[in-house]
Amino acid sequence: MVAIFRVRTTRAPESSASRPEEPPLSSHLPAQVRGISGPWLVRFNACPAEAAEELLRHCCASPRWAHRVAAHRPYPDLDALLAAASEASYDLSPQELAGALAAEDPSDLDHRAPYAAQLALHAAHAEYERLFGHAFVICLAGVPPQEHTDAVLSGIQSRLGNSPEEERAVAADELRRLAGARLARLVELSVAPGAEKGADPSGAPELVRFAPVG
């Protein structure tokens, strides 16, 4: 399961030039998905603002983030949409970030993961939420499925040692990446064989073909 921010926290704002370079969230997608405007993106660009914001809140629960991303339509391709989504996430206030994190479910393991791993994660989740007050989130976009269990367990164990300020920044970054990965997944689904075409762009239901990514 791939359920997916560096968002500004209480630290001084970073300029875009000072932010660390990282691979684009679309880099792990098939070549036919990157840099194109698929049928989903065409409908997303055309649908009413309220419907677009409703859809975006399935990717990140911050109303302000959803409003900003929707307001900058139309997007020519997936990379442009992901860049705008990432940039909007840096403007979340600590309160907005807390609200978005509160809406997230904890990152779980595949049901085929060993029982001992499931128990370990359950205990770690309880300790994490006691320390930080919200669910543990991690973006697994681009991580091979066979490595998901190790990535989740090692991630939560290492982050339990963070201070609240450190973890706020890490969780913000993971939430940013989660939102981008969810958007990328929607576009990927729209160009997959058998994907619906020609759906009515006037509403959100056929756009909200949301699959968790992390």
Side-chain angles (χ1 to χ4, degrees):
M1 182 175 65
V2 194
I4 157 349
F5 265 175
R6 173 181 279 148
V7 177
R8 270 188 236 149
T9 63
T10 55
R11 298 175 296 177
E14 296 178 295
S15 69
S16 58
S18 66
R19 292 172 191 154
E21 293 293 326
E22 62 183 23
L25 282 166
S26 61
S27 62
H28 68 284
L29 296 176
Q32 69 267 28
V33 179
R34 301 193 301 269
I36 67 161
S37 178
W40 182 91
L41 190 55
V42 172
R43 298 198 299 274
F44 174 72
N45 283 334
C47 74
E50 295 80 3
E53 291 182 26
E54 178 186 352
L55 165 68
L56 289 164
R57 288 194 296 271
H58 284 265
C59 299
C60 174
S62 165
R64 184 164 175 261
W65 177 87
H67 176 76
R68 283 199 57 184
V69 176
H72 282 82
R73 295 176 300 160
Y75 295 102
D77 53 37
L78 172 60
D79 284 339
L81 172 59
L82 294 181
S86 182
E87 185 64 27
S89 73
Y90 286 93
D91 287 331
L92 293 180
S93 69
Q95 293 74 25
E96 289 166 335
L97 172 62
L101 287 171
E104 291 288 324
D105 292 325
S107 297
D108 291 326
L109 301 179
D110 187 276
H111 70 279
R112 294 164 294 185
Y115 183 62
Q118 302 277 7
L119 286 179
L121 183 60
H122 179 77
H125 272 156
E127 179 64 6
Y128 182 95
E129 293 187 16
R130 184 188 71 82
L131 289 172
F132 304 117
H134 59 78
F136 171 76
V137 294
I138 186 171
C139 180
L140 300 176
V143 177
Q146 66 271 20
E147 297 177 15
H148 283 188
T149 296
D150 287 343
V152 172
L153 289 173
S154 63
I156 195 169
Q157 291 293 344
S158 66
R159 287 164 58 183
L160 283 171
N162 288 342
S163 69
E165 294 75 18
E166 290 170 333
E167 183 54 27
R168 187 181 302 114
V170 174
D173 195 56
E174 293 297 326
L175 187 61
R176 175 184 64 83
R177 298 186 65 241
L178 267 174
R182 288 164 176 164
L183 282 171
R185 179 61 174 159
L186 286 170
V187 178
E188 182 183 17
L189 287 172
S190 78
V191 299
E196 290 182 284
K197 300 183 188 288
D200 181 0
S202 62
E206 57 278 336
L207 292 173
V208 186
R209 300 176 58 189
F210 174 68
V213 282

